Amino acid sequence: VGDVAGMGADLFESYVGSIIAAASLAVTQAQKEGDTLQGKSTQAIALAFLLPAVGIVASTIGFFAVNTSAQGKGWDVHLGTLMWALEKGMYLAAALFTAGAYVCVVQICGLGTNIFACVIIGLAAGMAIGKVTEYFTSFDFGPVMSIKDRGMTGPATVVIQGLGVGMISCVPPTLVLSVAIVSTSALGGAYGVAISAVGMLSTLGITLATDAYGPVADNAGGLAELSHLGKEVRDITDSLDALGNTTAATGKGFAIGSPCLVGLPLFGAFVT
């Protein structure tokens, strides 16, 4: 409960902060001559609330795409197959949100393709951070396997390798966020950065659901062990637990990345 509630509260704060920042900056930026938003403060404010509404609908539809026929086989299972079962829903939600965002930005609010590009950049940045997190936390890939291999020589090398992999894993998300902030600022100013944060968190419904899957699967494994169930049951729960660790890490990637996009425009809104 604490894991799910804590992550939900953290991401909810970022979500609300991005909406408030976008709405606040819409007013000040619309007063600048020659700006993309000049004279369109009402439409820009409305967009900050329309996008989350579209995201909720897209996430709800995306839930129905989550399914798999793969069998859990213990620690030798291919996690990518199980991960794809969850990613299908996320990708469907992102595709539906992209279509809905275009209608909201260009046709309903009339804000132009620059603002739409900012929204999509934010959405793509969130998905990129999720894939990077999966790469560094799934034992289908090199980083985790390299840590496992160090276990042959003792705990000290495991700690050293793990610390090194952890440090390296911070680089790709930092680059992704840097590119997102610079590009959205060039396209839409401070409002562009704020609305990209809204885009990143738009499909939070299904993203947070996959994050909550982690502790649920972990508890299922613990209950199976305490109940002294058979090895075949533990094989299945071990597979799901390993996948749950990856999905939980992906949720934390969003929790870390979204405040970076939210904090900058929110501070700008406070100053202005």
Side-chain angles (χ1 to χ4, degrees):
V1 174
D3 195 350
V4 176
M7 187 61 62
D10 188 5
L11 287 168
F12 179 73
E13 183 272 335
S14 297
Y15 203 6
V16 174
S18 65
I19 296 172
I20 293 173
S24 302
L25 289 167
V27 177
T28 56
Q29 198 163 320
Q31 297 171 358
K32 296 179 181 179
E33 293 186 8
D35 194 275
T36 309
L37 300 180
Q38 184 179 1
K40 297 181 178 179
S41 61
T42 304
Q43 294 92 321
I45 293 172
L47 180 63
F49 293 91
L50 281 173
L51 292 179
V54 173
I56 291 171
V57 175
S59 296
T60 303
I61 297 173
F63 287 137
F64 296 99
V66 176
N67 59 74
T68 183
S69 58
Q71 297 290 324
K73 299 176 183 178
W75 292 102
D76 61 340
V77 72
H78 183 59
L79 278 188
T81 306
L82 296 176
M83 190 68 185
W84 173 243
L86 298 174
E87 286 180 338
K88 283 188 296 186
M90 296 173 66
Y91 291 149
L92 176 61
L96 293 173
F97 173 77
T98 301
Y102 181 82
V103 173
C104 291
V105 176
V106 178
Q107 297 184 355
I108 296 178
C109 296
L111 294 178
T113 54
N114 278 9
I115 301 301
F116 173 69
C118 292
V119 175
I120 300 307
I121 288 172
L123 180 65
M127 296 179 69
I129 291 174
K131 292 304 292 182
V132 168
T133 306
E134 180 187 350
Y135 174 74
F136 279 100
T137 57
S138 172
F139 61 69
D140 277 348
F141 302 106
V144 174
M145 293 174 67
S146 69
I147 299 173
K148 179 200 70 172
D149 293 340
R150 296 304 181 275
M152 300 293 292
T153 55
T157 50
V158 172
V159 172
I160 294 170
Q161 180 69 10
L163 185 61
V165 169
M167 289 179 175
I168 294 172
S169 69
C170 298
V171 176
T174 303
L175 295 176
V176 169
L177 289 171
S178 299
V179 171
I181 291 172
V182 172
S183 57
T184 53
S185 179
L187 288 169
Y191 179 80
V193 180
I195 208 69
S196 71
V198 177
M200 175 184 280
L201 295 169
S202 57
T203 55
L204 184 62
I206 192 164
T207 305
L208 191 58
T210 58
D211 173 48
Y213 168 84
V216 171
D218 189 18
N219 286 347
L223 290 173
E225 186 173 358
L226 290 172
S227 302
H228 302 289
L229 298 180
K231 183 179 182 300
E232 65 281 357
V233 178
R234 287 296 298 154
D235 285 344
I236 295 174
T237 57
D238 283 346
S239 302
L240 299 179
D241 190 14
L243 177 64
N245 291 333
T246 300
T247 59
T250 303
K252 289 174 176 60
F254 267 86
I256 294 168
S258 56
C260 295
L261 283 180
V262 174
L264 186 64
L266 196 60
F267 182 73
F270 174 77
V271 172
T272 53

